[in-house]
Amino acid sequence: MIPIQRLGALKNVQAFKGHLQSLGLNIPCDFELLVGPESPLQWPLEHAGFKFTNRIVVQPMEGWDSLPDGNPSEHTLRRWSRFGSTGASLIWGGEAVAVAHEGRANPNQLVIAPHTHAGVAKLHEALLKAHREATGGAQPPLIGLQLTHSGRYCRPNAHDRPEPKILYHHPILDSKLGLSPDFPVLTDGEIAHVIDDLHRAARAARDLGFDFVDIKHCHGYLGHEFLSAHTRPGKYGGSFENRTRFLREIVEGIRSVAPGLHIAVRVSAFDTVPFRPDPNTSAPGKMGVGIPEPHSHLIPYRWGFGVNPSCPTLMDLTEPKQFLALLDQLQIRLVNLTAGSPYYNPHIQRPAFYPPSDGYQPPEDPLVGVARQLQMTRELKSQFPQLIIVGTAYSYLQDFLPHVAQAVLREGWVDFVAMGRMILSYPEFLRDASEGRPIQHRLVCRTFSDCTTAPRKGLPSGCYPLDHHYKSSDLATKLKLAKGQRP
Ligand SMILES: Cc1cc2nc3c(=O)[nH]c(=O)nc-3n(C[C@H](O)[C@H](O)[C@H](O)COP(=O)(O)O)c2cc1C
Ligand code: SF4
């Protein structure tokens, strides 16, 4: 593979567009940034009973920094406050919030339960306050809470002790997690309890002032695993109808216990097989380039959602389209499209120049990963114009993010541009860009992946290289030590 071009070294938009051309990628990109009402980022949107003042969204970004009992810490509060300072008109979930202790992805995940209600309400309040201060009292954003159960990736009691809850045996992921063939799968009765927890959590979210809940169906967690439960017997596996029963039962219950609360879904619309570092390109201190786990013996592949069963490294949007049609039928109009999982194919999910500590060197130019998500989103938006579609994976675009964002919005590829990692380093980026303030290039996320590596080492997430809150704290020293670097 030719060496990957560092985007920070490209001098201007012309050079970036030339680079896209050399890679053969179709990513729209405007030369000039427009400002104020002229900027597509500042266009209002009124649709399906919702009213938005701009097209900027904050992706859910978990911090692994809540207290052991599931209440927010001062780091959590600060992060939510920074979500507000983006001026975004849509806050997609804040972060993944576990609906029960045993469903936590780590022992510091936020939990929604009676003893945390007051804490969660403070997050909502802090976000609104920061939004008011940043925008001078503009219309408040639509704020959701992302509800989750971590399924296969539960680690509720210790960051290095997986306690998976699986729906079916996966021929590759089971061995990655060391699960034996007789490891128990969740029973239908246990699933019913999770659904009850989701109903309770949704009612609490409504009572705490949230406008909507996101029923998370992405990134390998429980909701997403249902969509690929082809091999599970019984009412939650096999047919498309059975694999979406979990969602339908949740929606039905929420509508009865929390009327008036909007429902949204974030879904991994495509996937690929799990990847691993290639041992042939690994060297001491350097992980290998990512390659797919061997899977030729697993064709037709029956363990993915949005993958081509004959060649599962390729996406197939047939079922994701059926899924969006189902959301529409259920009158769910807010949809956030993402892909893959940070655990088994991070290059698909969050394209990065520098891999996280448990990843692999990029197997492709990360711009290919960005383009893949943009194209998928464009195709789904064009087929479902009635849905409000939020797009993902823009942070790798770095300094060129606003140029691409305004172009994809203007061309109607997507309704909202959402930022994930960029929010951690530079929350005001798109507001600065679309309101004519100078851009602070030193705060632009360079996809160092420390925000993913830190939690893998049992530390809170955050932008260690660029955010002074972490840069100058003893957490930064701990992260260096955990990475085997000198503090
Ligand atoms: C530190 C970190 C925490 C994340 N937490 C969540 C989460 O709680 N829920 C979720 O759906 N996605 C989560 N994501 C994924 C992001 O929302 C987003 O999809 C991803 O980072 C790609 O977008 P970006 O290129 O703007 O970063 C997280 C990503 C990172 C790096
Ligand atoms: S640590 Fe900071 S610069 Fe690195 S990927 Fe995360 S947000 Fe971006």
Side-chain angles (χ1 to χ4, degrees):
M1 198 173 92
I2 34 173
I4 295 168
Q5 168 69 53
R6 214 181 278 261
L7 295 193
L10 295 177
K11 292 229 158 12
N12 52 34
V13 178
Q14 178 71 53
F16 176 65
K17 284 172 83 90
H19 180 49
L20 290 177
Q21 208 171 12
S22 72
L23 292 171
L25 296 177
N26 177 9
I27 296 184
C29 176
D30 287 352
F31 276 109
E32 296 298 328
L33 287 183
L34 301 170
V35 168
E38 299 287 301
S39 167
L41 284 157
Q42 294 292 336
W43 284 349
L45 178 70
E46 218 175 313
H47 184 68
F50 297 102
K51 258 185 164 176
F52 301 98
T53 53
N54 61 44
R55 305 301 187 94
I56 306 171
V57 173
V58 175
Q59 294 282 29
M61 295 293 288
E62 200 190 332
W64 289 260
D65 54 12
S66 291
L67 303 175
D69 74 350
N71 264 297
S73 69
E74 64 184 90
H75 295 296
T76 328
L77 210 57
R78 176 181 185 266
R79 197 174 51 260
W80 279 63
S81 198
R82 282 161 65 88
F83 292 164
S85 68
T86 58
S89 69
L90 174 54
I91 308 292
W92 194 285
E95 66 183 276
V97 182
V99 296
H101 171 76
E102 63 276 11
R104 290 167 103 178
N106 65 80
N108 294 93
Q109 186 168 39
L110 197 60
V111 175
I112 182 154
H115 70 283
T116 65
H117 288 174
V120 174
K122 277 192 194 149
L123 296 175
H124 186 268
E125 232 170 77
L127 191 153
L128 278 179
K129 180 168 176 282
H131 185 273
R132 266 194 309 275
E133 286 167 5
T135 62
Q139 177 189 307
L142 195 81
I143 309 179
L145 196 65
Q146 185 179 58
L147 301 182
T148 191
H149 183 293
S150 303
R152 193 173 282 270
Y153 298 102
C154 289
R155 294 182 179 208
N157 296 308
H159 80 89
D160 52 1
R161 196 169 80 229
E163 298 179 46
K165 301 278 187 283
I166 61 171
L167 295 174
Y168 60 84
H169 283 281
H170 189 297
I172 302 173
L173 295 178
D174 278 13
S175 53
K176 275 183 179 281
L177 283 167
L179 305 183
S180 59
D182 60 353
F183 188 86
V185 295
L186 277 181
T187 63
D188 288 358
E190 288 167 324
I191 291 170
H193 283 298
V194 175
I195 294 174
D196 285 346
D197 287 338
L198 277 148
H199 292 158
R200 263 193 297 277
R203 188 169 52 195
R206 186 202 57 179
D207 295 347
L208 296 172
F210 287 89
D211 302 299
F212 71 93
V213 287
D214 166 22
I215 308 303
K216 185 174 189 178
H217 273 68
C218 59
H219 304 164
Y221 296 109
L222 192 72
H224 187 204
E225 185 153 310
F226 272 102
L227 299 181
S228 59
H230 297 274
T231 57
R232 183 185 168 96
K235 65 177 184 172
Y236 291 106
S239 65
F240 178 80
E241 194 194 350
N242 283 353
R243 285 179 283 122
T244 53
R245 189 180 304 282
F246 178 68
L247 171 71
R248 286 183 282 113
E249 290 184 351
I250 294 166
V251 171
E252 195 183 332
I254 293 179
R255 295 246 159 91
S256 98
V257 301
L261 180 72
H262 295 292
I263 300 177
V265 170
R266 187 166 203 217
V267 60
S268 282
F270 67 89
D271 212 334
T272 181
V273 293
F275 269 54
R276 62 172 169 148
D278 181 355
N280 296 321
T281 55
S282 301
K286 187 160 193 260
M287 56 182 83
V289 174
I291 50 168
E293 293 277 0
H295 57 274
S296 55
H297 58 298
L298 299 172
I299 305 297
Y301 194 78
R302 301 172 69 219
W303 300 274
F305 179 70
V307 300
N308 179 335
S310 317
C311 181
T313 51
L314 297 179
M315 77 170 88
D316 177 348
L317 294 179
T318 312
E319 280 211 334
K321 285 177 186 169
Q322 245 179 298
F323 186 72
L324 262 55
L326 172 65
L327 295 182
D328 192 31
Q329 241 173 48
L330 293 171
Q331 301 192 351
I332 294 174
R333 297 280 141 69
L334 291 167
V335 181
N336 186 328
L337 298 175
T338 173
S341 162
Y343 296 102
Y344 56 79
N345 47 31
H347 74 287
I348 292 285
Q349 198 255 346
R350 51 183 79 156
F353 192 90
Y354 302 92
S357 61
D358 61 346
Y360 41 77
Q361 297 297 332
E364 61 188 9
D365 191 302
L367 279 175
V368 175
V370 175
R372 194 182 287 118
Q373 290 214 37
L374 293 187
Q375 291 295 346
M376 167 276 285
T377 305
R378 178 193 193 187
E379 182 171 344
L380 294 179
K381 175 66 202 171
S382 74
Q383 295 217 0
F384 294 91
Q386 69 277 33
L387 300 180
I388 297 174
I389 300 280
V390 173
T392 294
Y394 292 92
S395 290
Y396 182 74
L397 294 164
Q398 303 171 44
D399 308 86
F400 308 105
L401 196 165
H403 299 261
V404 172
Q406 85 173 31
V408 289
L409 287 168
R410 202 196 45 257
E411 293 189 14
W413 285 28
V414 71
D415 296 307
F416 283 95
V417 167
M419 292 187 295
R421 290 163 292 181
M422 192 67 78
I423 298 286
L424 301 180
S425 68
Y426 187 6
E428 302 83 9
F429 190 20
L430 284 182
R431 208 154 57 83
D432 283 351
S434 58
E435 291 180 4
R437 280 184 293 279
I439 287 172
Q440 300 185 52
H441 293 280
R442 70 195 161 81
L443 293 181
V444 169
C445 166
R446 300 290 167 202
T447 66
F448 292 122
S449 289
D450 275 8
C451 50
T452 305
T453 294
R456 302 291 188 254
K457 305 283 184 194
L459 293 166
S461 175
C463 183
Y464 285 70
L466 304 177
D467 178 357
H468 66 91
H469 183 75
Y470 296 92
K471 213 158 118 178
S472 51
S473 73
D474 63 344
L475 288 172
T477 313
K478 285 188 185 155
L479 180 60
K480 281 197 174 135
L481 287 169
K483 284 163 75 180
Q485 296 168 350
R486 276 202 284 175

